[in-house]
Amino acid sequence: MKFILKIFILTLNFCLLSCGQMRNVNLYEPSKSVSEFEKFPYKILFTGSEENGLWGLKNNTCKSISFETTKNYIGKDHLHINWDASKCNYVAVGLKWSNYKVKNLEPIIESSAIELRVRIDSGEISNVPMFFVLSDYGGKQCRANINYLNLEGGKIDTVWRKILVPLQAFNYKKRGVNMSKVKELRLEFQRTGDIHIDNIVIVQHNHDFHKTNDTSVKAFYSWPVQLGIGREHWWGINTKYSSCFQFGESFTNESVLVDFKKSSIDPQWDMFGFSPYCWKRVDISSIFSTSAIKFKIKADNIPKIQAFIFSYKGDKRRIQKILNDSNFINKENGIYEAFLPLKSFADFQEFRWDELKEIRFKILEEAYFEIGEFQLIEFRGNPKKPTQWKGI
Amino acid sequence: MERNINLLFYLIFNFIYVLTSYSQVSKVEVTTNSSGNFELKRNGVPYYIKGAGAKDHFDLLVNSGANSIRVWSTNNKSLLDSAHKHDLTVTLGLHVRPERSGMDYNDEYAVKGQIEFLKNEVLKYKDHPALLVWGIGNEVDLKYGNFKVWETIEILAKFIKEVDPNHPTMTVIAGVDPSKVFHIKKYCPSIDILGINVYGSIENAGTNLRKFNWDKPYIVSEWGVNGPFEARKTSWKAKIEPPNGLKADQRQRRYKDLIEKDKELCLGSYCFLWGQKQESTATWHGMFLSNGNPTEAVDVMQFCWTGEWPKSRAPSIKDISLENIGWRKDHILTPSTQATLNIEFSKYNNTEVVVEYVLYPEAFSNKIGGDIQKSPDPLKFEILNQTDNELTFVTPNSRGAYRLFAFIKNERGQSSVANIPFLVK
């Protein structure tokens, strides 16, 4: 009987204790969400020489590398590198980063950064010629440098300072690096330096910066294009120093009144020019082959002038042509229309038509005339006989 | 006792003098004088810049008549301190990263980081007594394509206007060009002075600035001899460098005829380079040799700045030829054969000179805009006979491009140099 009572009491206790620890659960409780960052398994790049593999540790005339065991930030030792890159083409240390396992950084690119701690032995510096290079398994590399915004305290001194290098700061898009198959991280060093490094890890980081659009280029895909609008985009017209050129009033758009004499005070002042569009890099690469520059001249006689076109980039940055009678149509009352097919310029094929910079005119003989109303028009005639094309 | 009191007064006076001179910020401003010409005034006194791009040899710089140095970045405060001790002012560069170094001006993060860093540098140095002018960026326009860099320049110039009313702002461009002038005029209104680095293009720089409607003052922030980028090349792409004597003559003419004569817009100049650097060769721009010896270019600058030549002048190599073919031509030699190099030099007032010849491998480089280049090491070669004017030697056994240098110096170490590139094939 006593035994049965004992069993009963024990069972009751068990039930009471068990009931006390029970909780209500939903039948379909969602599983706890794990962020991409948390899922990323390779968060540690360097905490000590025994734990993490490195290469490029051999000392030479350009670098001295050691693992120091005192004043560590974390672990048993830290990296101390002293370098002078003036006599070497390349000074770097590589981190094998989980023994060269393939790292997929794509899911964490927007939410993570490489964090490390640095210090120097004495003094204070605000930048260090050190670069971070990620390389993929295809051998492509992208790089980032230390940004003042993510340098703790804006300086490196004798205490361990935190540096963050957001993964988005790497120029992986430009370099075509496959961020889903990253192999290693390299630390590259330039000029000279002496620095202690410890605790290189991947951390969560919100990078709130963007890439802005390129505003330096203006592309044109159709005609007509009004050229040189706005007097501020012209040069060579400065009546304080030369009376050869001044802005005219005879035409609707900008024009230049030319009163050129060889005996001018400055005989070199025989040119003027303008930007096709606001001194931007003008891209007419899709229409240049069927384009001509059209302009008007008001004169008693056709002046002897030379036209130049300049580009911002390319091996051939200047092409030129001396105009002749075949470029002009007499519209009566002293007005001439000029047509200058772009394909009539020598070496036009070598010219970067996506980098057009400037149109310039040189006055070759004494002359008095007004020139203006510059346009880029469609032209599909013979470049050598521009005025014979029926389309103009 | 009286002597001790005098000594005490002397020490106190010196202490106060040093303290006040170091804490005194100079007020520098751009004004126009009674002739309508632009003028720099430092503490109310007209200040014409007789300057050099320099990091050392300050004693000789001061003795040669200079009053200012230009440095390209803020990474060495001791330079400003040293300049101040020598009573030299400093045009201090804020290193705005050029696009060609990998900087992306569409990258907000990189742009903002650079601006904040440089703002901090401005705050660090704005009260330094040696500071004359801020040089915001150097040749950021060289091979660039993103004009947003001028926004960074303006942000920094505007910030300087807010925090440092005592020093004018300048940005420095590589050569004069209408598009650059437009962009700076339009997008950098807080820039007071245009700095122009002009070598061959110095010949028309003043006229071109007026043609391009630049209406503020300018400083010739780098000038000297025609640069390697402007030089003729041999058929194997080695740059042909004129002998130092000719380069010195060119410096003198350019200073006297071009820089000094533009009283209206030019506030002064910084010759390049009061020191030594490798740019195609080790001797192209430097007015000193790598061993620290001054060349005749230093004498020329003393003449330019003071109107007087130094009592002891460096000898000066005026011509150099190899196998009786002048330095302007190609020189192609066969391996392990005898060849003769000749030099002609002016001895000036020197009684004794020492001539030395050194052979180097050609240092081809694709770096531009003064970017850092590495110097090659000299090569051993066999000399058969040597006089002051002639060297007979054996050409290298290995095929390749070489450059033979002739160095000449007087008892004081004042030197001259010339070289000839040659190809062994």
Side-chain angles (χ1 to χ4, degrees):
Chain A
M1 186 63 187
K2 249 183 180 177
F3 178 72
I4 292 169
L5 189 65
K6 275 182 185 171
I7 295 277
F8 175 76
I9 290 167
L10 272 172
T11 308
L12 188 66
N13 278 344
F14 176 77
C15 287
L16 285 171
L17 282 169
S18 301
C19 288
Q21 289 188 344
M22 278 184 185
R23 61 188 175 93
N24 291 328
V25 292
N26 293 326
L27 191 57
Y28 301 106
E29 186 178 35
S31 60
K32 188 187 171 192
S33 75
V34 180
S35 71
E36 295 293 346
F37 173 78
E38 286 171 83
K39 277 193 254 176
F40 184 70
Y42 311 113
K43 294 194 184 73
I44 294 174
L45 287 90
F46 177 84
T47 52
S49 62
E50 288 180 9
E51 290 80 21
N52 314 104
L54 296 100
W55 58 261
L57 301 178
K58 198 174 175 183
N59 290 342
N60 57 32
T61 53
C62 297
K63 69 178 175 193
S64 160
I65 295 175
S66 59
F67 291 103
E68 293 193 2
T69 54
T70 56
K71 289 190 184 175
N72 303 322
Y73 178 78
I74 194 169
K76 290 178 182 169
D77 57 10
H78 70 268
L79 190 62
H80 180 198
I81 177 160
N82 180 327
W83 72 94
D84 178 357
S86 63
K87 286 284 175 187
C88 296
N89 289 325
Y90 190 67
V91 180
V93 171
L95 293 109
K96 295 178 182 174
W97 196 352
S98 301
N99 207 21
Y100 294 131
K101 281 180 184 163
V102 177
K103 275 79 66 181
N104 181 7
L105 300 187
E106 272 184 356
I108 61 166
I109 279 179
E110 293 189 1
S111 61
S112 305
I114 296 168
E115 181 185 298
L116 64 153
R117 301 281 166 165
V118 296
R119 66 171 173 82
I120 52 178
D121 287 327
S122 61
E124 180 184 310
I125 54 176
S126 45
N127 64 351
V128 58
M130 171 181 169
F131 298 88
F132 301 82
V133 178
L134 287 173
S135 54
D136 66 14
Y137 268 88
K140 290 183 176 170
Q141 296 182 345
C142 56
R143 52 202 287 130
N145 55 7
I146 298 170
N147 189 306
Y148 183 77
L149 301 176
N150 278 316
L151 170 61
E152 186 184 1
K155 62 184 175 184
I156 299 170
D157 55 12
T158 54
V159 300
W160 288 106
R161 298 272 176 186
K162 182 170 77 177
I163 290 175
L164 281 168
V165 185
L167 294 184
Q168 282 192 74
F170 286 86
N171 57 349
Y172 57 92
K173 283 180 186 161
K174 190 178 175 184
R175 299 286 175 194
V177 173
N178 185 351
M179 295 296 271
S180 67
K181 288 184 178 168
V182 169
K183 181 184 176 188
E184 62 180 2
L185 174 74
R186 294 180 191 185
L187 308 178
E188 280 185 15
F189 304 93
Q190 294 180 357
R191 303 197 290 278
T192 59
D194 187 344
I195 197 166
H196 298 261
I197 301 170
D198 205 355
N199 197 42
I200 308 175
V201 293
I202 303 289
V203 296
Q204 273 192 305
H205 175 73
N206 183 29
H207 184 71
D208 199 18
F209 293 93
H210 304 282
K211 291 283 177 82
T212 56
N213 293 328
D214 190 346
T215 54
S216 303
V217 179
K218 173 70 179 176
F220 291 100
Y221 304 101
S222 61
W223 307 272
V225 178
Q226 305 298 322
L227 301 172
I229 301 298
R231 288 185 174 183
E232 61 182 345
H233 304 123
W234 290 64
W235 66 265
I237 300 145
N238 188 340
T239 50
K240 184 178 177 185
Y241 300 105
S242 171
S243 55
C244 290
F245 306 109
Q246 52 187 300
F247 284 110
E249 301 288 346
S250 297
F251 303 117
T252 311
N253 289 337
E254 272 66 18
S255 65
V256 178
L257 188 61
V258 179
D259 184 5
F260 180 70
K261 295 178 183 68
K262 281 283 182 189
S263 58
S264 300
I265 296 168
D266 182 355
Q268 292 177 341
W269 204 311
D270 54 3
M271 290 186 185
F272 68 89
F274 58 91
S275 160
Y277 185 84
C278 302
W279 289 107
K280 293 199 177 204
R281 292 156 50 207
V282 174
D283 180 359
I284 56 166
S285 57
S286 64
I287 57 171
F288 86 90
S289 62
T290 49
S291 294
I293 297 169
K294 177 188 174 187
F295 56 91
K296 289 181 180 171
I297 280 182
K298 184 180 176 187
D300 291 337
N301 300 301
I302 295 172
K304 186 110 174 151
I305 55 177
Q306 186 173 17
F308 299 83
I309 303 178
F310 286 80
S311 70
Y312 278 104
K313 290 180 181 173
D315 292 333
K316 188 85 182 171
R317 294 194 188 192
R318 184 179 75 172
I319 54 176
Q320 55 203 299
K321 178 178 173 52
I322 295 175
L323 280 70
N324 57 41
D325 288 351
S326 74
N327 294 104
F328 294 93
I329 295 175
N330 189 342
K331 303 298 278 188
E332 304 299 333
N333 299 321
I335 301 290
Y336 296 88
E337 279 185 351
F339 297 88
L340 198 49
L342 299 185
K343 283 167 78 173
S344 68
F345 283 79
D347 301 324
F348 75 92
Q349 285 156 318
E350 296 168 41
F351 191 77
R352 288 280 300 270
W353 293 103
D354 59 336
E355 288 285 350
L356 186 58
K357 177 184 179 185
E358 180 194 340
I359 297 167
R360 186 180 295 192
F361 287 92
K362 182 177 184 180
I363 317 304
L364 302 174
E365 288 179 355
E366 290 194 0
Y368 182 87
F369 62 96
E370 189 168 343
I371 181 171
E373 202 96 18
F374 287 87
Q375 290 181 303
L376 194 71
I377 59 158
E378 184 176 13
F379 177 84
R380 295 182 185 275
N382 181 348
K384 289 179 182 170
K385 299 171 183 173
T387 53
Q388 290 183 17
W389 186 47
K390 289 179 181 172
I392 58 176
Chain B
M1 182 65 184
E2 192 181 331
R3 198 175 161 189
N4 283 343
I5 290 170
N6 282 342
L7 185 66
L8 185 69
F9 273 115
Y10 176 77
L11 288 172
I12 291 169
F13 174 78
N14 259 336
F15 176 73
I16 292 169
Y17 174 77
V18 169
L19 200 71
T20 50
S21 68
Y22 266 79
S23 60
Q24 197 172 32
V25 181
S26 295
K27 171 80 179 166
V28 183
E29 55 195 332
V30 176
T31 61
T32 47
N33 63 19
S34 54
S35 308
N37 298 334
F38 283 112
E39 195 170 63
L40 206 59
K41 276 191 174 164
R42 184 168 179 252
N43 298 324
V45 180
Y47 191 89
Y48 185 75
I49 299 170
K50 297 175 178 178
K55 290 180 178 173
D56 48 21
H57 307 291
F58 288 171
D59 285 329
L60 185 53
L61 187 62
V62 172
N63 290 338
S64 300
N67 59 10
S68 189
I69 62 164
R70 178 182 172 215
V71 294
W72 285 260
S73 76
T74 48
N75 63 3
N76 193 346
K77 182 180 177 292
S78 65
L79 274 179
L80 279 95
D81 297 338
S82 179
H84 183 57
K85 278 180 196 163
H86 287 85
D87 205 19
L88 292 164
T89 61
V90 178
T91 284
L92 181 59
L94 295 172
H95 179 66
V96 177
R97 280 187 67 200
E99 219 179 310
R100 63 180 190 277
S101 73
M103 179 69 182
D104 179 1
Y105 281 91
N106 290 329
D107 183 344
E108 279 182 352
Y109 176 62
V111 169
K112 186 93 170 38
Q114 175 173 250
I115 288 169
E116 292 308 311
F117 169 71
L118 291 174
K119 280 182 177 179
N120 194 46
E121 296 296 278
V122 169
L123 296 175
K124 264 191 219 170
Y125 290 99
K126 71 184 179 66
D127 295 327
H128 198 287
L131 182 60
L132 183 75
V133 171
W134 290 104
I136 309 169
N138 179 57
E139 299 189 350
V140 295
D141 54 295
L142 193 61
K143 300 218 168 183
Y144 78 149
N146 192 338
F147 305 141
K148 280 183 196 157
V149 65
W150 301 119
E151 293 173 14
T152 290
I153 301 284
E154 171 60 12
I155 288 168
L156 290 167
K158 204 172 173 183
F159 177 74
I160 289 169
K161 293 277 167 219
E162 287 165 14
V163 300
D164 179 14
N166 293 321
H167 301 102
T169 56
M170 171 173 81
T171 190
V172 176
I173 56 175
V176 183
D177 172 282
S179 70
K180 296 173 196 173
V181 170
F182 167 80
H183 282 112
I184 295 166
K185 276 182 78 171
K186 179 145 181 105
Y187 298 109
C188 307
S190 303
I191 288 291
D192 301 315
I193 303 164
L194 184 64
I196 53 172
N197 292 350
V198 279
Y199 293 90
S201 65
I202 193 174
E203 302 292 344
N204 299 313
T207 304
N208 281 340
L209 282 171
R210 288 161 171 85
K211 281 182 186 173
F212 304 154
N213 298 302
W214 181 252
D215 48 13
K216 290 181 182 177
Y218 73 93
I219 291 171
V220 186
S221 42
E222 278 179 35
W223 71 276
V225 298
N226 283 18
F229 52 91
E230 297 162 318
R232 209 176 70 74
K233 292 176 190 170
T234 64
S235 57
W236 60 96
K237 311 282 185 201
K239 310 273 176 67
I240 297 173
E241 180 180 0
N244 242 34
L246 298 191
K247 291 196 293 185
D249 294 344
Q250 192 178 51
R251 281 181 193 274
Q252 186 180 329
R253 181 184 62 77
R254 285 179 172 174
Y255 190 86
K256 289 288 178 190
D257 293 354
L258 301 169
I259 295 171
E260 213 174 45
K261 280 192 177 164
D262 192 354
K263 307 280 186 204
E264 185 196 14
L265 299 182
C266 184
L267 303 178
S269 64
Y270 291 93
C271 62
F272 189 83
L273 171 72
W274 193 268
Q276 185 271 339
K277 74 173 292 202
Q278 175 78 21
E279 196 164 325
S280 287
T281 71
T283 54
W284 205 295
H285 282 302
M287 297 158 80
F288 290 77
L289 301 180
S290 55
N291 61 9
N293 283 352
T295 68
E296 67 269 57
V298 169
D299 300 349
V300 162
M301 287 320 302
Q302 176 169 335
F303 178 74
C304 290
W305 286 326
T306 66
E308 290 177 5
W309 292 101
K311 282 177 187 165
S312 169
R313 288 186 65 176
S316 184
I317 300 177
K318 303 287 186 185
D319 198 8
I320 186 168
S321 60
L322 181 58
E323 295 290 84
N324 287 320
I325 300 172
W327 58 270
R328 293 179 178 86
K329 306 279 187 187
D330 280 9
H331 299 85
I332 299 173
L333 307 174
T334 49
S336 302
T337 52
Q338 187 174 313
T340 304
L341 181 96
N342 290 89
I343 59 168
E344 285 177 24
F345 58 88
S346 295
K347 224 172 176 179
Y348 295 121
N349 50 356
N350 298 293
T351 49
E352 292 288 325
V353 291
V354 178
V355 184
E356 187 187 5
Y357 299 93
V358 185
L359 181 68
Y360 288 92
E362 182 59 47
F364 295 107
S365 174
N366 56 6
K367 296 280 178 65
I368 59 165
D371 295 342
I372 295 167
Q373 298 178 18
K374 290 185 168 62
S375 309
D377 292 323
L379 301 169
K380 286 183 180 170
F381 71 117
E382 188 181 349
I383 293 175
L384 300 174
N385 189 38
Q386 179 180 334
T387 67
D388 274 359
N389 292 87
E390 189 171 289
L391 171 80
T392 307
F393 67 104
V394 179
T395 60
N397 189 28
S398 305
R399 288 171 170 79
Y402 299 89
R403 197 178 282 264
L404 187 53
F405 285 75
F407 295 93
I408 183 170
K409 65 179 176 184
N410 64 12
E411 291 165 337
R412 298 162 65 97
Q414 293 172 290
S415 302
S416 183
V417 60
N419 68 69
I420 276 196
F422 65 92
L423 185 70
V424 174
K425 73 171 193 179

